[in-house]
Amino acid sequence: MKRLILFLTIISLLMVCGTAIAETGQKAIEEIRLSIEKSAFSKETKISLLKKVNDAVNAGIQPGDVVIIVNRGMRQNLDGKAIEGFIGIAVKVKNQNLPVRPVLDRMQQGLSKGVPADRIMGVTGMLAEKLSVANTIVNDLIKSGVKAGSGKAKEETIQTVALALERSIPENIITQTGMRVKKHNHPISMFEISIDTMTNLVGSGMRVEQASKLVNKAMDRGYSEKDILRMEREIFSEIKEGKRMEDAARRMESVMERGGFERSHRGMEGGQMRGTSSGMESGSSMGGSDSKSGPGWGGGSGMQRR
Amino acid sequence: MYKKVDKDDMQSEEYSIIKQCMDGNADIYSVLVERYKGMVYNVAYRMLGETESANDMAQESFISAYIALKDFKKNSKFSTWLCSIAINKCRDHLRSKKDTVSIDEIAEVSVSKIATPEDAACNRQISHDIQTALNELPEEYREAVVLKHVEGLDYNEMENVLGVSSNTLKIRTHRGREMLKKLLRERGISHG
Amino acid sequence: MDKNMELIHKLLDGEVSEEEKKEILDRIDSDPVLKMELDALSMAVHIVEKSERLSVPPSFTSKVMGKLPVRKSSYREKVWDFFFKDRVLRWNMVTAAATVCLVIIVFTGVFQFQKKHSLISHTNISEGSTVTVKFNIYVPDAKEVAIAGDFNKWKVDGKNMMKKQDNGIWTIEIPLKPGAYNYMFVMDGKVWLSDPNAESYQDDGFGYKNSVLKVTKL
């Protein structure tokens, strides 16, 4: 009898909120409903969790993402309240019209890695705040006249700025780079790439001031978005070769002083690459990625051939 | 030819990992721990004869190696260097244990573990007996036999690990083998 | 030690040529006492060599990693530079295979950049296209290895399991659209490993370092 009442409550709840659920999400919702029903949670927890799930889907969060959070949370034996808390943060972010993907990704990642629930809650709650600050920074920049591009470009920029803030890059350094972007009449995507490069360099041990100086200088020198990406790669490949971050940064600066970093690629192009790699059969893999990938590029990680 | 590349390949990858550790990316050290934990743990187990100390000493070996990464010479093999750290840890442990455990206790343990011929067929028992026999070898012989026959090192590599000339190591291995043969024969495991 | 016994040990050391081996075995065959010695010793060696290898306790790596001291890098870096700076070039040459992916990442970028300029054609450049990226990691002792990243919503099971090659390298190919991706390798379902050959790394906020891969559109 109890089960029947529970079942009916759940069904009626689903029916009330069901109108908003897209057909594609139906299967996912059904999956969540079944797993929640099968769980060891109390009746009350089951109902309130299911309500939270419906809130999330109604707010426009992909049901597939919600399923992952609920299922992984249950597999980690988390409290129903903790899972509700995660979904609550995501719903809040979504309702503020902020990009929700980074928050969902961080939750899914934390749950998969077995991070304790309160830590995930703390980190994602903080991320939500950073997204809100990032949103203001990006909107101000667009209002000041920087071309916004597509909605996707804006969303990506907000995410990148939020990550930069999360890595403790000060807000004023970020807005300074924003002003540089505006000064050189670049679109918002240039801002995104500059901040991303800065974050990656800082994350690998470069001082914030040095990273921002490098990126700003690159813009002053008329570097394109791709040039900045190449600059970042170049620095990382030097680090891999054993250079210290400090030295790699200084070298990059002096290369820029001389007017570009094309020359630094010399001797590493075409011939030598094929030369070294063909002896170890890697030439084929490069050719493979070349033909397979077409416009993009195929790379890989780790050792390619043995 | 390809085998050669393999070795260089891995060695340079390991240098890169070590470099990254020194630069503060401690997480990456887990790759080396994963790669060599089997070797270090088994050497420690064969040297010490029981799993708990082996586990402790193996962990300590990795931690000491991490602390001493700056002393690692780039032209040597990380595995060899790590192995020598592990052997030293085991020696220290055995020395400290000697102070606390009486000779009688050791003798009692060895006697109680002697197998009957019926048991000899059982793999686990043999494994246990071989350990008991190894425990009875003098430390220097045991090190040589473990590195040579458990880990399959050649004398050059052993020379690097133990810092003793390969001729001396050959003699130690030979004597270790002779003693082992005798000990195993007493337990009814060997022929003859 | 007597001469014959020395020969037996040489044989067991595995340090004899085929000819010598034959000679020694011939001599031993004609001497029953010697043969018995060899048998007994071989048996002892065989037992040691085939003795069961213990599997390492499951939490070993995480325990070690948890006990590592925090590294103060600047002084040690200097020491390191002192030892290694002059060998950077040599390192480059011999590690071509290990770093070939990185090389590909850096150079294919350059290569494609050049190609684009030489062809002056944008017709075959579409944003939605995917590239197949091959990930590798060397962990010979692992029972299973998976790749988890934002591209698969950090899912560890199913089609994200990597395949083990005979040489102990685990590998997987994943089609990816242009973009930046965070990922890690997961060993035996619980140990999370950074990719030692990743282009760069990013803190995940939980104390791990994610590996970062960037696939750029050109």
Side-chain angles (χ1 to χ4, degrees), chain B residues 12 34 66 74 155 181, chain C residues 13 37 61 71 84 95 187:
Chain B
S12 62
E34 278 307 325
Y66 180 82
K74 207 180 173 184
Y155 284 114
K181 178 192 75 182
Chain C
D13 284 342
E37 274 305 315
T61 304
R71 186 173 285 284
F84 301 124
T95 61
M187 205 190 75

Side-chain angles (χ1 to χ4, degrees), chain C residues 53-195:
Chain C
R53 274 187 91 75
L54 296 192
S55 48
V56 185
S59 54
F60 187 89
T61 304
S62 54
K63 281 202 179 124
V64 170
M65 295 308 289
K67 286 187 213 158
L68 292 186
V70 178
R71 186 173 285 284
K72 294 190 202 85
S73 64
S74 64
Y75 169 70
R76 287 188 179 134
E77 262 173 74
K78 270 180 201 151
V79 177
W80 181 269
D81 277 349
F82 175 71
F83 277 120
F84 301 124
K85 213 163 193 172
D86 55 335
R87 300 188 196 192
V88 166
L89 188 65
R90 188 168 160 256
W91 183 87
N92 258 333
M93 300 299 282
V94 294
T95 61
T99 53
V100 76
C101 302
L102 184 73
V103 172
I104 288 169
I105 287 168
V106 175
F107 294 107
T108 318
V110 178
F111 196 65
Q112 294 287 351
F113 189 78
Q114 288 177 334
K115 201 161 87 178
K116 185 184 154 189
H117 279 266
S118 58
L119 291 174
I120 321 171
S121 156
H122 292 255
T123 48
N124 61 345
I125 297 166
S126 67
E127 241 184 65
S129 66
T130 58
V131 290
T132 304
V133 181
K134 189 172 181 183
F135 294 87
N136 302 286
I137 185 162
Y138 179 73
V139 264
D141 285 347
K143 284 187 200 70
E144 53 175 46
V145 182
I147 186 166
D150 41 16
F151 46 77
N152 62 18
K153 307 211 167 173
W154 302 94
K155 192 167 181 240
V156 175
D157 49 351
K159 61 181 181 177
N160 307 310
M161 301 311 292
M162 301 173 81
K163 281 200 187 74
K164 188 182 185 179
Q165 297 175 329
D166 294 339
N167 51 19
I169 296 177
W170 295 76
T171 155
I172 192 169
E173 287 189 5
I174 295 178
L176 291 173
K177 289 192 171 136
Y181 299 97
N182 281 15
Y183 66 96
M184 282 185 92
F185 297 117
V186 194
M187 205 190 75
D188 300 337
K190 51 189 179 295
V191 183
W192 289 72
L193 302 168
S194 306
D195 182 348

Side-chain angles (χ1 to χ4, degrees), chain A residues 69 78 82-90 107 111 117 120-121 124:
Chain A
I69 291 169
L78 294 191
I83 303 177
E84 274 182 47
F86 294 152
I87 302 175
I89 291 175
M107 284 171 188
L111 286 167
I120 300 179
M121 201 80 88
T124 49

